[in-house]
Amino acid sequence: MRRACAHDAAVRMAADGDVRTLGAAITVALCGHWDHEPPCPLAPHHTSAERSGDEVTLRVLFAAEPESEADVRSRIETALSRAVFEGPDGVTTRWEFCGAQPSAVRRDELEHAERLMRTA
């Protein structure tokens, strides 16, 4: 049975860098492609990004089987540590990976986490 998990990460990216590419890179790592039919094969997930200058804080909320959780976290960090991604528009976005860590699901995320866990 899937359980809800969260993972926080930080990167530095140029002010004109598209933060959506970070989520796309994570989706490719977890699902094989940024544009796929639901559900996500390994872990239904949602990535949010907040920018402050050149610093971007990412939060990945996901649902995974307990035996897959470490693999999901590793894939997220591997995708971000590559520090480059070519988007569907052919534009290459670069960033500097600053680090990542597991995090607890917050109270305000519980409803979203429940939906992810129910995703078939």
Side-chain angles (χ1 to χ4, degrees):
M1 178 172 206
R2 289 183 183 147
R3 67 179 177 200
C5 305
H7 205 76
D8 294 329
V11 303
R12 282 193 188 91
M13 132 185 307
D16 63 346
D18 186 350
V19 298
R20 295 175 300 174
T21 60
L22 301 165
I26 290 168
T27 298
V28 168
L30 297 179
C31 304
H33 198 276
W34 63 79
D35 184 24
H36 67 85
E37 291 295 320
C40 299
L42 177 60
H45 63 282
H46 172 77
T47 303
S48 60
E50 290 188 28
R51 179 191 289 274
S52 178
D54 66 348
E55 295 180 12
V56 180
T57 302
L58 298 158
R59 182 148 177 93
V60 183
L61 186 63
F62 65 94
E65 300 291 336
E67 62 273 9
S68 299
E69 180 181 345
D71 181 37
V72 171
R73 293 183 189 283
S74 176
R75 288 175 186 225
I76 291 167
E77 292 188 21
T78 297
L80 294 174
S81 67
R82 288 192 177 118
V84 64
F85 188 80
E86 184 176 333
D89 55 3
V91 173
T92 300
T93 302
R94 300 181 189 286
W95 61 85
E96 177 187 349
F97 178 57
C98 300
Q101 63 187 11
S103 179
V105 175
R106 298 184 310 241
R107 184 177 303 250
D108 65 320
E109 296 172 319
L110 290 176
E111 186 177 316
H112 192 172
E114 287 290 330
R115 286 194 311 270
L116 290 173
M117 288 189 297
R118 287 191 309 265
T119 302

